[in-house]
Amino acid sequence: MSSSTPDRRPANGPGVERRRRLRQQRRREQLIYLWRMLTFISIAAGLGWVLLSQGWSLNNAKQIHVQGSRNIQTNTVIKAGELHFPQPLLGFNPKELEQTLLRKLPLNSVVVQRRLLPPGIDVAVQERKPVAYALRKRAYGQEQGMVDSAAMWIPLNVAKQGERPSTNLTVEGWTASKRQAISQVLEQRNQLGSPLERILVAPDGELSLQTKTLGLIQLGSNSSLLKEQLETVAQLSKTLPSSFRHKTGTTIDMSDPSKPELQMPQPSK
């Protein structure tokens, strides 16, 4: 019998050596890739920390841009919004600042937006312009303020941040329930034909107008007649004889606009 001996290849043959070199090369490449990833993550984390702590923050007033009003300036926004420097930009709440500015400044609307590049905030405002001075009764007495063309009440300390009325027109006895009627008068005041000096709201809700030419005009409390009453006032301003104008103590009862009643002061004895 003859026995066959198995064919054994050398342990250190060229194929084994080539595979070993390939494994070593892959390990080196993996180590290089891992080192690059760790380096990139470290750099990114460092830059992120710098941006969050230094770059994306409000550091001074120059980073706040206000547009839409000549009267509401950056310093006014900073003071009213109680802004402090520095503060993180990402931790800043635009909606909270909007509500604060609407409460403290004579504004119809305000939109606050964060700006990351360059870091800052943009404040777009629409100002409420006072058209008349105003008084209203409070528990402690009379409160002074102003109203805009919509007869919205503006507290005096807030109104002072913006423009002043162009005339000395005053609304006396302002109430929220009469705001729409007051607003209607304010919108038509330049069409009355006689300079309007005062709008008076009595405690019972009756409305009166004090004019320079026609004197006191009593409108009553029926707001549904107001449009017709104001048109009648404008007509009287054109047709009333000059002898009845500029009379101290003259009163016109306009509660029924179809039958206005002129009341002249009694001559002194």
Side-chain angles (χ1 to χ4, degrees), residues 178-231:
K178 283 294 181 179
R179 188 182 66 80
Q180 292 293 340
I182 297 170
S183 173
Q184 191 172 345
V185 174
L186 290 173
E187 290 176 358
Q188 298 296 319
R189 67 188 185 278
N190 294 327
Q191 282 74 49
L192 297 179
S194 176
L196 184 60
E197 297 177 335
R198 290 189 299 164
I199 301 174
L200 303 105
V201 182
D204 59 3
E206 291 200 353
L207 195 66
S208 300
L209 308 180
Q210 180 70 47
T211 65
K212 184 176 181 180
T213 304
L214 301 180
L216 183 66
I217 303 172
Q218 298 173 338
L219 303 178
S221 56
N222 190 349
S223 298
S224 64
L225 298 174
L226 186 55
K227 180 180 179 181
E228 185 180 354
Q229 289 170 328
L230 296 178
E231 291 175 351

Side-chain angles (χ1 to χ4, degrees), residues 128-147:
R128 291 168 57 189
K129 297 182 179 181
V131 298
Y133 297 93
L135 297 169
R136 65 178 176 179
K137 289 186 178 181
R138 311 296 281 176
Y140 52 81
Q142 292 270 26
E143 179 187 3
Q144 294 182 338
M146 299 182 192
V147 293

Side-chain angles (χ1 to χ4, degrees), residues 7-267:
D7 184 15
R8 296 181 179 179
R9 296 179 180 180
N12 294 324
V16 174
E17 181 65 22
R18 184 171 62 253
R19 288 193 294 274
R20 185 178 64 81
R21 287 198 300 269
L22 289 173
R23 285 195 297 271
Q24 290 177 343
Q25 183 178 353
R26 282 198 295 271
R27 291 193 190 99
R28 286 195 298 270
E29 290 175 351
Q30 290 173 349
L31 288 173
I32 292 172
Y33 175 78
L34 180 61
W35 179 83
R36 287 175 177 174
M37 284 296 297
L38 290 174
T39 302
F40 174 78
I41 292 172
S42 299
I43 293 174
L47 289 174
W49 180 85
V50 170
L51 286 173
L52 289 174
S53 61
Q54 303 296 328
W56 285 345
S57 63
L58 291 175
N59 297 312
N60 54 64
K62 294 181 179 179
Q63 293 174 271
I64 300 175
H65 179 237
V66 180
Q67 59 182 2
S69 172
R70 292 179 300 176
N71 301 296
I72 308 300
Q73 302 294 328
T74 299
N75 289 337
T76 307
V77 170
I78 293 173
K79 184 178 179 180
E82 299 180 358
L83 299 178
H84 303 285
F85 305 108
Q87 65 171 289
L89 188 58
L90 295 182
F92 169 76
N93 190 333
K95 293 299 181 183
E96 185 176 327
L97 179 59
E98 288 174 359
Q99 294 301 317
T100 301
L101 296 180
L102 284 173
R103 188 174 66 254
K104 293 186 176 182
L105 298 177
L107 299 175
N108 272 326
S109 65
V110 55
V111 177
V112 179
Q113 293 181 324
R114 281 181 296 209
R115 181 173 12 94
L116 299 182
L117 293 174
I121 61 173
D122 296 321
V123 183
V125 301
Q126 183 182 21
E127 190 176 355
R128 291 168 57 189
K129 297 182 179 181
V131 298
Y133 297 93
L135 297 169
R136 65 178 176 179
K137 289 186 178 181
R138 311 296 281 176
Y140 52 81
Q142 292 270 26
E143 179 187 3
Q144 294 182 338
M146 299 182 192
V147 293
D148 61 8
S149 59
M152 294 293 294
W153 181 268
I154 308 174
L156 193 61
N157 62 325
V158 174
K160 287 181 178 179
Q161 304 291 336
E163 295 182 6
R164 299 295 180 91
S166 58
T167 68
N168 290 324
L169 173 61
T170 303
V171 178
E172 297 183 13
W174 182 96
T175 62
S177 62
K178 283 294 181 179
R179 188 182 66 80
Q180 292 293 340
I182 297 170
S183 173
Q184 191 172 345
V185 174
L186 290 173
E187 290 176 358
Q188 298 296 319
R189 67 188 185 278
N190 294 327
Q191 282 74 49
L192 297 179
S194 176
L196 184 60
E197 297 177 335
R198 290 189 299 164
I199 301 174
L200 303 105
V201 182
D204 59 3
E206 291 200 353
L207 195 66
S208 300
L209 308 180
Q210 180 70 47
T211 65
K212 184 176 181 180
T213 304
L214 301 180
L216 183 66
I217 303 172
Q218 298 173 338
L219 303 178
S221 56
N222 190 349
S223 298
S224 64
L225 298 174
L226 186 55
K227 180 180 179 181
E228 185 180 354
Q229 289 170 328
L230 296 178
E231 291 175 351
T232 304
V233 171
Q235 187 64 28
L236 281 177
S237 297
K238 297 177 181 178
T239 59
L240 194 67
S242 58
S243 58
F244 294 102
R245 300 170 184 265
H246 301 283
K247 293 287 186 178
T248 303
T250 299
T251 301
I252 300 177
D253 186 348
M254 196 76 72
S255 54
D256 182 355
S258 64
K259 298 178 181 178
E261 296 182 4
L262 179 63
Q263 301 173 2
M264 301 293 291
Q266 295 295 328

